[in-house]
Amino acid sequence: MDNSFAKTDADNNRVSSILVKYRPKLNANIQLQVEQASLKAVLSELSRVTGAVIHYSVLTDVFITATCVADNLKAVLQCLLGESQNIVYQYAHNKGQAGMPSEVWVLGSSLAGLTLQEDRGGVSCQGDRADLAAIPKNTKQADEKLVAQLIVKLESADPKQRADAIADLATKIAMDNIEVDNILLMAMGDKSARVREQVLFAWVYRNGRAAIFELQQALQDPVASVRLKAVDLAQDAAVLRLALLDGDALVRQLAEMKLNALNK
Amino acid sequence: MVLSLFSAGYAASVAAHDLKFKLLFATNGAGATDVWEVSCLSSSTLGDSARLVANIKDFSPDDSNFISLVIYKDGKAVTSTDLVGGNDAYSPLVSVNAGNGVYTMIANHTRVGNQVYFIEYHCENAAGDHTPTTVPTTPVQDQ
């Protein structure tokens, strides 16, 4: 069974294409080529073509471009979603794991923050963990020690020192460290605009597109450069549309440019 | 700080690997520097990545504030500078030949100001075919 389609996303005027090739009788591999399509649409199409029912809870709303080729659905999903994704497969009783799974469950809500790599080579792809990979895998004790040092730095009178501490908290401490989240939330009220800008970056770095609420809040900041940073970091049309109403011309200009780029 | 951040026109890039509308902020002074990381991967049909190729475009119409891109990996580095801000032209394409792995792309400028830039990049094998390239959503340093 082959399937190919191109469509225009109604909200964004975005041209998306999803191509899935699968010939079960020839025992051929599954070829998936996606161009600027939503993950929901991609999973739906994979499900339709392969016949496997794919269950999930929360999905990222990012548009993805990817190429995955593999000889089974499991490998294609690992390519698309990343190998660390927790996925459960149920196979038909009489075929074991050699055949196509009848049902697939993508567990948890981690798909909400997923980012994906693009593969122009058209052969293999993996989930893009570039941001996360940049964080060294310290021991919990090492993280605690570093956090303690950075908290001292955050008490500096020099905004640059505080901003540097925020950047280090964002990029050097494990993503699941709740203490860092609490520190960042408190630092959002720092008296220095430079620090608040860095906190916004830190929050987006650690939370991805789930940071939309904080970005919207930052658009209320009295200093234009902080609002400009929010627009700089924004990937969602909702934030950018809000920024079109900003009192600062530069903030509005950047929001308009980014919105136009999103719609192309 | 420049009066206007942007050039009047914007032509959509046809390159799939690009970072668009990224800012160096005036609040971080002339030393404001953004750091991005991109991974070049191997492919079963195209083989190993040989290099990362990239260039940068200064989107702010202030010609006195030059914006540069540095690519770095494994002790090798190269720089490309856009000498004319606000037009649609990118700086010359430059590359670092350092195989598969994580490349660092650094954007910096010469003067204080809010400055918008674009980066186009891709990984290549020795024959010049585009190999798998990761697409970062946030920099590892954002100034």
Side-chain angles (χ1 to χ4, degrees), chain A residues 35 65 115-131 133-134 160 163-164 167 171 193-194 197-198 201 204-205 225-226 228-230 232-233 235 249-255 257-258 260-261 264, chain B residues 1-12 14-17 20-23 25 27-29 34 37-39 41-46 59 114 116 121-122 130-143:
Chain A
E35 192 79 32
T65 298
T115 57
L116 297 163
Q117 85 168 50
E118 176 178 357
D119 176 5
R120 296 184 70 178
V123 177
S124 65
C125 74
Q126 299 166 356
D128 176 12
R129 298 294 184 276
D131 296 343
K160 184 177 185 307
D164 285 349
T171 58
R194 181 177 188 164
E197 289 168 17
Q198 204 57 211
F201 155 70
V204 170
Y205 186 88
S225 67
V226 178
L228 195 61
K229 176 63 86 175
D232 178 35
L233 292 165
Q235 299 175 57
L250 299 183
V251 175
R252 292 196 305 272
Q253 270 185 292
L254 182 61
M257 291 286 189
K258 289 189 70 168
N260 288 340
K264 282 184 187 293
Chain B
M1 185 184 297
V2 295
L3 291 175
S4 175
L5 270 178
F6 315 114
S7 57
Y10 164 59
V14 295
H17 299 286
K20 296 177 181 173
F21 297 111
K22 303 305 175 185
L23 258 77
F25 276 73
T27 28
N28 294 302
D34 284 356
E37 287 185 344
V38 170
S39 291
L41 307 171
S42 63
S43 152
S44 58
T45 58
L46 298 172
F59 201 60
N114 290 316
V116 180
Y121 63 95
H122 63 266
H130 289 198
T131 47
T133 308
T134 60
V135 180
T137 53
T138 51
V140 292
Q141 176 173 295
D142 189 15
Q143 294 185 338

Side-chain angles (χ1 to χ4, degrees), chain A residues 17 59-60 90 102 182-183 202:
Chain A
S17 67
L59 288 181
T60 175
Q90 181 177 357
S102 54
N182 292 333
I183 293 168

Side-chain angles (χ1 to χ4, degrees), chain B:
Chain B
M1 185 184 297
V2 295
L3 291 175
S4 175
L5 270 178
F6 315 114
S7 57
Y10 164 59
S13 169
V14 295
H17 299 286
D18 52 14
L19 302 169
K20 296 177 181 173
F21 297 111
K22 303 305 175 185
L23 258 77
L24 290 169
F25 276 73
T27 28
N28 294 302
T33 305
D34 284 356
V35 180
W36 297 86
E37 287 185 344
V38 170
S39 291
C40 291
L41 307 171
S42 63
S43 152
S44 58
T45 58
L46 298 172
D48 289 332
S49 292
R51 67 186 73 91
L52 176 70
V53 182
N55 55 7
I56 193 164
K57 177 167 74 178
D58 177 0
F59 201 60
S60 300
D62 174 10
D63 287 346
S64 66
N65 196 357
F66 298 141
I67 195 160
S68 293
L69 171 73
V70 177
I71 307 175
Y72 173 83
K73 184 175 184 291
D74 297 342
K76 299 176 184 175
V78 66
T79 302
S80 180
T81 303
D82 187 356
L83 296 172
V84 181
N87 65 1
D88 206 41
Y90 277 76
S91 67
L93 273 171
V94 291
S95 62
V96 164
N97 292 285
N100 297 328
V102 180
Y103 288 73
T104 301
M105 299 195 298
I106 299 170
N108 60 61
H109 60 176
T110 52
R111 293 173 184 265
V112 178
N114 290 316
Q115 199 162 15
V116 180
Y117 65 90
F118 289 40
I119 296 175
E120 283 187 342
Y121 63 95
H122 63 266
C123 302
E124 286 182 1
N125 64 14
D129 301 314
H130 289 198
T131 47
T133 308
T134 60
V135 180
T137 53
T138 51
V140 292
Q141 176 173 295
D142 189 15
Q143 294 185 338

